[in-house]
Amino acid sequence: MTTAAPKSPSLYPPQGFGAPKDRRGHAAKDGLAGLPEGTEIFSADNHISVADDIFYERFPEELKGAAPRIWYEDGAYMVGMKGKAWTGGDFGRVLMQYDDLAGAASNNIEARIRELKEDGIDKELAFPNAVLALFHYPDKSLRERVFRIYNEHIADLQERSNGHFYGVGLINWWDPKGTRSTLAELKALGLKTFLLPLNPGKDDDGNIYDYGGAALDAVWDEIEDAGLPVSHHIGETPPKTPCENNSVVVGMMVNVDSFREQFAKYLFSGILDRHPKLKIGWFEGGIAWVPTALQDGEHMLASYRHMFNHELQHEIRHYWDNHMSASFMVDPLGLRLIDDIGVDNVMWSSDYPHNESTFGYSEKSLATVVDAVGPENATKIVSTNIQKFLGLLPA
């Protein structure tokens, strides 16, 4: 008779805990036991909703009819046009779970800083929420204008936060000249990274953009020259087939495993060989996927090298170790595999204010990091690695 191994205590909210709007931070006032005194907890992946109708307000009068609108409806900030939200369906239902938190939206940065501090978090990197629906706005010139307005808005919040809040910007990825200008403006605003979509869409002739193809090499040239790290985030991969029951969580199960295609392109399409100064961050997909991706990459390299039309300049492991890092919230398996992943290549995050965030139990999540790797390495994971990624500390 086999005796089952005892289960580790769950790190997740207890049953009936509710969505984040029902949670409250309760970090110990004297800091997290086990971390060196004075450690600043820096969440590498949080989110913010735009509360003001910024695009309509800042579009010139003659273009206001084409401006995306932002409005509040049923507990969430919507993005769309003519009263029709582009963030409906399951995505809209999820938004309604947390946008009622005082600090969830951009109109109350003071409440946001306070809520995070109550949960033990000193600083954050914040990604967009519903604004992601604008990634594929059909008119590319207006899309670029929208991105510029968003960058200005988020940079203003960053400035007002006095070092507590760092915003993720948006750039033109479809035209090298636009890439150069949007990156220059983003840097001038003080933003430290930008979000590049996993699905880059199609050109004006209907051809799918290939990040690893020659046509976009000039875009990567501009990104490399700008010296800012690239950020990728889950959330663009809906299920391929309908789901009648619990479609929200089925969609999330698909979303959290969405990096492999782009990860493979960085390795095998030669993007990193041609642009060796690039730094890539993978956000909200956890870290447990990394060892299997590296293992499979090594297997594919050994199995198919004779068919390559681009010969890799390095072994698979080199690209991860020297170019990439990933964030997690609660990843016990990933922490058990930390020696295969690398302490210097991972970053803890709260994911405030999302449903799957650690908001309300961040102290417990942080304690598992200390337990897994010790206080010195935990400090890297919960504080210094993300600051190095953003260029706030020397690499």
Side-chain angles (χ1 to χ4, degrees):
M1 180 176 179
T2 303
T3 303
K7 294 182 179 179
S8 300
S10 175
L11 299 179
Y12 303 98
Q15 189 173 7
F17 200 70
K21 64 185 177 183
D22 300 317
R23 305 180 198 168
R24 297 291 181 272
H26 55 272
K29 292 183 179 179
D30 56 353
L32 180 68
L35 280 171
E37 186 177 354
T39 300
E40 288 186 316
I41 306 300
F42 197 132
S43 173
D45 170 36
N46 285 358
H47 290 265
I48 192 162
S49 294
V50 175
D52 300 317
D53 198 11
I54 57 172
F55 306 117
Y56 184 80
E57 291 169 358
R58 301 186 191 186
F59 262 45
E61 197 64 38
E62 66 273 15
L63 293 178
K64 284 189 181 296
R69 303 300 301 265
I70 294 175
W71 68 93
Y72 187 78
E73 178 182 321
D74 295 332
Y77 291 95
M78 300 294 182
V79 175
M81 291 186 70
K82 298 179 180 179
K84 182 176 176 58
W86 296 337
T87 51
D90 286 344
F91 189 21
R93 290 168 59 203
V94 169
L95 289 174
M96 293 170 189
Q97 294 292 303
Y98 52 76
D99 267 358
D100 271 342
L101 273 172
S106 60
N107 58 349
N108 201 338
I109 190 68
E110 295 80 14
R112 184 181 185 90
I113 294 169
R114 183 183 66 252
E115 284 185 336
L116 287 169
K117 187 65 176 176
E118 289 169 354
D119 203 40
I121 297 166
D122 302 295
K123 298 184 177 185
E124 63 171 326
L125 178 66
F127 288 80
N129 272 330
V131 170
L132 292 180
L134 302 175
F135 262 162
H136 301 295
Y137 190 88
D139 186 313
K140 291 186 175 69
S141 63
L142 292 184
R143 186 196 302 171
E144 187 172 308
R145 182 184 292 270
V146 163
F147 288 0
R148 286 187 164 104
I149 291 170
Y150 179 79
N151 292 342
E152 291 168 358
H153 181 69
I154 214 74
D156 179 63
L157 294 179
Q158 180 172 301
E159 179 69 22
R160 288 164 45 201
S161 78
N162 296 316
H164 291 278
F165 172 95
Y166 292 87
V168 178
L170 304 173
I171 69 162
N172 175 327
W173 66 83
W174 56 90
D175 166 61
K177 291 182 179 178
T179 306
R180 183 188 311 134
S181 63
T182 52
L183 279 169
E185 292 162 1
L186 188 146
K187 290 177 70 174
L189 289 168
L191 301 181
K192 306 299 183 183
T193 187
F194 57 92
L195 182 59
L196 201 62
L198 296 167
N199 170 17
K202 298 179 181 180
D203 64 20
D204 293 337
D205 296 321
N207 302 307
I208 297 173
Y209 288 113
D210 175 10
Y211 279 136
L216 288 191
D217 244 15
V219 168
W220 289 113
D221 289 341
E222 297 297 340
I223 292 173
E224 185 177 37
D225 288 346
L228 294 180
V230 180
S231 292
H232 293 294
H233 197 282
I234 68 165
E236 301 173 44
T237 313
K240 293 181 173 61
T241 57
C243 180
E244 183 176 343
N245 298 312
N246 291 335
S247 58
V248 169
V249 74
V250 171
M252 286 305 301
M253 286 288 287
V254 173
N255 273 322
V256 297
D257 188 29
S258 56
F259 290 149
R260 185 168 278 224
E261 180 178 355
Q262 185 56 33
F263 176 81
K265 285 194 174 186
Y266 278 118
L267 271 58
F268 294 112
S269 292
I271 295 171
L272 294 177
D273 286 335
R274 295 187 294 273
H275 304 94
K277 296 178 183 177
L278 288 179
K279 296 293 182 182
I280 316 298
W282 306 98
F283 292 90
E284 207 177 321
I287 57 176
W289 66 274
V290 175
T292 60
L294 293 173
Q295 174 178 269
D296 290 347
E298 290 168 354
H299 190 195
M300 295 303 109
L301 177 63
S303 302
Y304 292 98
R305 198 167 203 161
H306 64 287
M307 300 177 70
F308 283 11
N309 61 359
H310 167 77
E311 186 62 36
L312 271 63
Q313 296 177 10
H314 304 279
E315 293 303 313
I316 295 297
R317 182 84 210 190
H318 171 91
Y319 299 103
W320 170 259
D321 287 343
N322 294 279
H323 294 276
M324 300 184 186
S325 53
S327 78
F328 70 98
M329 293 95 75
V330 177
D331 198 333
L333 177 58
L335 288 173
R336 289 201 295 272
L337 298 171
I338 196 68
D339 289 341
D340 294 316
I341 302 168
V343 165
D344 294 326
N345 299 79
V346 299
M347 306 169 289
W348 179 86
S349 69
S350 159
D351 194 38
Y352 168 95
H354 283 180
N355 282 26
E356 65 273 22
S357 75
T358 67
F359 182 62
Y361 66 106
S362 292
E363 188 176 7
K364 189 175 180 181
S365 175
L366 289 162
T368 66
V369 181
V370 179
D371 291 343
V373 301
E376 182 178 345
N377 284 331
T379 301
K380 293 181 179 182
I381 292 172
V382 308
S383 185
T384 55
N385 286 350
I386 179 61
Q387 294 186 70
K388 289 179 179 180
F389 178 82
L390 296 175
L392 302 174
L393 291 175

